[in-house]
């Protein structure tokens, strides 16, 4: 079975620009979550999508938005980029009906975003 | 909201045993997970405790005490490849979405 894949792996953007990051979830998973991980910190939850709708959101402003597609892949969009948005963006997938199960989320290797 | 505390760094020698502690404050606790992350890599799920006690998976064990809001990850027979960051993550408050701690950097010396 394939794992979670993210693209691109690295990206450099200028402050004020917009960016789209992409994620393909693991086969059999129907839920995708996005996390932001600053250097030396733990992953911070941005939002989660299930059946193409957002069903959970962390403490991030509306300029962070997302989509989930029928094939369970997902996009994270960030508008009006700020310097503090520089971070590793991680995508994680799971099966919602198994959300209480004990095998956790499967993470991708992330997209390293640098805002200059 | 939830908050988690874990040491920022732990060092040990190859072959030794190391324990990484995690304390949490939350309401509506469901369970505590542990993840490993090597530099620049994806976090990898290690273990999950929903009930009190010890869960063992090979060289790794995880313990939970819900009454103390405390858990730990125990790594035995340390290997150089175990050098990584380890995160505890709590599921609580009506959501199954894990909230992560700031992570513990484990450095294994020869």
């Amino acid at each position: 079975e394939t794992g979670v894949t993210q693209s691109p792996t690295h990206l450099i953007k200028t402050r004020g620009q917009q960016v789209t990051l992409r994620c393909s979830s693991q086969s059999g998973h129907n839920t995708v979550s996005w996390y932001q991980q600053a250097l030396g910190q733990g992953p911070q939850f941005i939002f989660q999508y299930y059946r193409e709708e957002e069903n959970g959101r962390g403490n991030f402003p509306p300029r962070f938005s997302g989509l989930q597609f029928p094939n369970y892949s997902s996009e994270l969009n960030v508008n009006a980029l700020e310097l503090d948005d520089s971070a590793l963006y991680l995508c994680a997938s799971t099966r919602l009906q198994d959300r209480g199960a004990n095998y956790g989320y499967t993470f991708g290797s992330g997209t390293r975003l640098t805002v200059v | 909201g939830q908050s988690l505390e874990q040491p920022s760094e732990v060092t040990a020698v190859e072959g030794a045993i190391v324990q990484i502690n995690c304390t949490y404050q939350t309401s509506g606790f469901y369970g505590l997970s542990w993840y490993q992350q090597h530099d620049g890599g994806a976090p990898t799920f290690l273990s999950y405790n929903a009930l009190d006690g010890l869960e063992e998976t090979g060289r790794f064990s995880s313990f939970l005490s819900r009454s103390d809001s405390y858990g730990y990850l125990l790594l035995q027979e340390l290997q150089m490849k175990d050098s990584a960051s380890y995160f505890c993550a709590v599921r609580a408050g009506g959501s199954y979405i894990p909230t992560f701690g700031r992570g513990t950097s484990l450095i294994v010396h020869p």
Side-chain angles (χ1 to χ4, degrees):
Chain A
E1 87 191 346
T2 58
V4 176
T5 58
Q6 294 186 242
S7 63
T9 55
H10 295 81
L11 198 55
I12 300 175
K13 288 287 192 177
T14 303
R15 189 171 50 184
Q17 285 188 313
Q18 178 266 343
V19 69
T20 297
L21 310 181
R22 294 177 174 82
C23 171
S24 293
S25 60
Q26 179 170 311
S27 176
H29 287 182
N30 58 13
T31 302
V32 174
S33 301
W34 286 91
Y35 285 81
Q36 180 194 67
Q37 187 176 23
L39 200 61
Q41 303 294 317
Q44 297 297 309
F45 174 68
I46 303 175
F47 45 58
Q48 177 168 286
Y49 278 81
Y50 170 66
R51 290 185 175 175
E52 304 174 49
E53 290 193 1
E54 185 182 292
N55 76 337
R57 189 175 184 94
N59 190 27
F60 280 81
R63 60 189 185 85
F64 286 78
S65 64
L67 288 171
Q68 185 185 30
F69 300 100
N71 65 354
Y72 305 123
S73 64
S74 178
E75 288 183 354
L76 164 65
N77 300 289
V78 187
N79 293 321
L81 282 167
E82 301 177 359
L83 297 180
D84 285 347
D85 296 333
S86 295
L88 180 68
Y89 288 85
L90 294 162
C91 172
S93 71
T94 191
R95 291 185 300 180
L96 191 63
Q97 59 266 35
D98 294 323
R99 59 189 181 179
N102 63 355
Y103 47 77
Y105 284 61
T106 303
F107 280 83
S109 294
T111 295
R112 174 72 63 186
L113 173 64
T114 302
V115 182
V116 298
Chain B
Q2 297 105 38
S3 67
L4 299 98
E5 293 289 333
Q6 49 183 131
S8 59
E9 185 176 294
V10 173
T11 61
V13 296
E14 207 172 4
I17 300 172
V18 72
Q19 179 174 310
I20 299 173
N21 298 319
C22 174
T23 58
Y24 58 87
Q25 289 186 328
T26 188
S27 57
F29 175 84
Y30 290 123
L32 189 71
S33 304
W34 288 91
Y35 287 80
Q36 177 194 61
Q37 185 181 33
H38 287 96
D39 277 349
T44 304
F45 173 76
L46 294 176
S47 68
Y48 178 74
N49 295 70
L51 302 176
D52 291 349
L54 192 68
E55 294 281 343
E56 298 181 74
T57 309
R59 294 188 297 115
F60 293 1
S61 303
S62 58
F63 172 82
L64 176 66
S65 169
R66 289 174 296 171
S67 60
D68 295 323
S69 298
Y70 164 74
Y72 67 72
L73 180 69
L74 191 73
L75 297 85
Q76 303 181 74
E77 301 173 14
L78 280 174
Q79 302 175 8
M80 297 296 292
K81 68 178 182 179
D82 296 329
S83 292
S85 292
Y86 292 84
F87 297 91
C88 58
V90 66
R91 284 179 173 177
S95 166
Y96 285 92
I97 297 165
T99 298
F100 285 79
R102 296 179 62 152
T104 298
S105 176
L106 172 63
I107 301 170
V108 180
H109 296 286

